[in-house]
């Protein structure tokens, strides 16, 4: 068999990782049609179909999956070789792709990314907001951000952002004047609660803690949403009581537009972590970002 074009092989791996031609093409700076043509040429050279193509998805065939499993270590070594060239000049180049939850994108990264980009002008950062627990490697990301209970054990984790966070409960002065202020989490059963539903469909159950006691309250009320902005806006308008990340509510609390509720019961938890695959060679943009986070945490 004639040796296949290695650039076609790399594009095949990129398409599988991205889950489609359009995303893979965007990441490589190519057109979707040229990527598709390259994969067809590779299939013709090998005499085997590597991808199942439908109008909605692109997935590897059984033969394609086997081939990619064998090729992945070699492709990683090729990437590592080019990263070593970057390291030799001490100037990391390339794109850092991150998958992060919405609170991290809104409240943590704006304090980090500008300084990181200023230090490393050869690096660009691509951030996707996703609250779901995805396979970052399969999805083509260099790293993700999650909380400790959601981290896979085969991942390396580095602290990012505040090390302690809280969920806080609050309501508008008008709501509390009309409906009263709960004195205990059990009192919430008689109140209008603004709930959050994750993209997975799971309902966010409220947890309150004090003196070793934990009380869980499934929020029931007039609004259930997957949008934090909508939930905060509803709380400001007096729709009901909200319980969410302190960062979402702190400005309104400081202005007196929302008042704290059940403050002695607010749940505190450990802050988020940047996590990435445990592999021998890291892309130079990721290595630079990890070093940057460690340096930032030490200052």
């Amino acid at each position: 068999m004639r040796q296949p074009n290695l650039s076609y092989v790399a594009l095949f791996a990129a398409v599988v990782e991205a889950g489609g031609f359009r995303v893979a093409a965007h990441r490589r700076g190519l057109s979707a049609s040229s990527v598709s043509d390259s994969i067809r040429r590779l299939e013709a050279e090998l005499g085997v179909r590597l991808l199942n193509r439908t109008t909605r998805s692109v997935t590897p065939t059984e033969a394609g999956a086997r081939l990619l499993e064998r090729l992945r270590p070699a492709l990683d070594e090729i990437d590592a070789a080019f990263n070593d060239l970057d390291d030799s000049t001490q100037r990391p180049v390339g794109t850092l792709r991150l998958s992060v939850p919405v609170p991290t994108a809104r409240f943590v990264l704006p304090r980090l990314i500008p300084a990181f980009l200023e230090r490393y002008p050869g690096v660009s950062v691509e951030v996707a907001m996703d609250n779901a627990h995805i396979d970052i490697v399969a999805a083509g990301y260099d790293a993700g951000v999650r909380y400790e209970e959601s981290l896979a054990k085969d991942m390396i984790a580095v602290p990012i952002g505040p090390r302690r966070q809280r969920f806080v409960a609050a309501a508008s002065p008008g709501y509390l004047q009309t409906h009263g202020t709960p004195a205990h989490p059990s009192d919430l059963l008689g109140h209008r609660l603004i709930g959050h539903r994750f993209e997975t469909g799971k309902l966010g159950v409220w947890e309150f803690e004090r003196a070793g006691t934990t009380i869980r309250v499934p929020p029931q009320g007039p609004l259930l949403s997957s949008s934090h902005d909508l939930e905060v806006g509803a709380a400001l308008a007096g729709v009901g009581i909200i319980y969410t990340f302190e960062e979402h509510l702190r400005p309104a609390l400081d202005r007196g537009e929302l008042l704290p509720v059940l403050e002695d019961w607010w749940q505190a938890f450990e802050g988020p972590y940047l996590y990435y695959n445990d592999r021998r060679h890291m892309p130079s943009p990721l290595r630079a970002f990890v070093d940057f986070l460690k340096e930032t945490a030490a200052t």
Side-chain angles (χ1 to χ4, degrees):
M1 179 184 297
R2 187 163 65 90
Q3 184 73 21
N5 187 313
L6 290 181
S7 64
Y8 295 167
V9 173
L11 286 176
F12 162 63
V15 168
V16 174
E17 290 178 350
F21 293 105
R22 190 176 302 278
V23 176
H26 175 71
R27 291 174 178 174
R28 295 297 179 110
L30 303 170
S31 68
S33 59
S34 66
V35 172
S36 180
D37 289 342
S38 297
I39 302 303
R40 287 194 175 91
R41 293 192 188 99
L42 176 62
E43 290 175 324
E45 290 179 3
L46 297 176
V48 62
R49 185 160 56 91
L50 299 175
L51 295 174
N52 291 316
R53 303 165 174 84
T54 70
T55 56
R56 294 187 176 183
S57 65
V58 176
T59 58
T61 63
E62 183 178 350
R66 289 200 310 270
L67 177 63
L68 186 59
E69 183 178 2
R70 295 288 300 275
L71 287 174
R72 175 52 59 201
L75 293 173
D76 286 344
E77 286 297 323
I78 292 173
D79 287 341
F82 284 106
N83 287 331
D84 287 344
L85 288 178
D86 294 339
D87 295 341
S88 67
T89 64
Q90 297 299 309
R91 289 182 292 116
V93 296
T95 300
L96 173 65
R97 297 183 177 90
L98 303 175
S99 172
V100 305
V102 173
T104 300
R106 290 189 59 179
F107 304 114
V108 175
L109 293 187
R111 288 177 266 173
L112 296 172
I113 296 300
F116 174 70
L117 292 176
E118 183 177 2
R119 178 177 299 185
Y120 300 105
V123 174
S124 60
V125 178
E126 183 179 311
V127 178
M129 293 191 299
D130 193 339
N131 290 322
H133 297 159
I134 65 171
D135 184 338
I136 58 169
V137 177
Y141 294 103
D142 297 302
V145 174
R146 290 294 178 267
Y147 288 85
E148 186 175 22
E149 70 273 10
S150 303
L151 295 175
K153 300 201 181 296
D154 61 344
M155 294 288 176
I156 296 176
V158 178
I160 182 173
R163 299 324 310 141
R164 296 296 293 174
Q165 291 183 276
R166 293 188 299 180
F167 284 125
V168 304
S172 71
Y175 174 88
L176 296 176
Q177 183 176 3
T178 301
H179 299 277
T181 300
H184 188 274
S186 61
D187 296 339
L188 293 172
L189 298 177
H191 279 269
R192 297 161 59 87
L193 308 183
I194 300 171
H196 183 81
R197 189 179 295 281
F198 297 100
E199 287 83 348
T200 59
K202 182 180 178 181
L203 175 68
V205 176
W206 296 6
E207 290 191 355
F208 297 90
E209 295 179 349
R210 188 174 74 176
T213 299
T214 300
I215 297 178
R216 305 175 81 247
V217 179
Q220 295 184 1
L223 178 63
L224 181 62
S225 170
S226 61
S227 167
H228 288 100
D229 290 338
L230 174 58
E231 294 157 23
V232 174
L236 290 168
V239 170
I241 298 175
I242 187 172
Y243 190 51
T244 188
F245 284 90
E246 182 173 7
E247 288 84 353
H248 284 294
L249 304 184
R250 178 48 55 191
L253 287 168
D254 290 342
R255 293 191 298 264
E257 297 170 345
L258 292 176
L259 299 179
V261 172
L262 298 171
E263 193 166 358
D264 291 342
W265 288 88
W266 289 353
Q267 185 185 54
F269 51 93
E270 192 170 15
Y273 288 84
L274 179 87
Y275 71 100
Y276 54 94
N277 189 38
D278 183 7
R279 55 187 175 185
R280 186 174 45 170
H281 295 286
M282 293 169 58
S284 60
L286 176 58
R287 182 184 293 111
F289 190 55
V290 169
D291 291 342
F292 177 80
L293 291 180
K294 292 178 178 178
E295 178 185 325
T296 302
T299 58

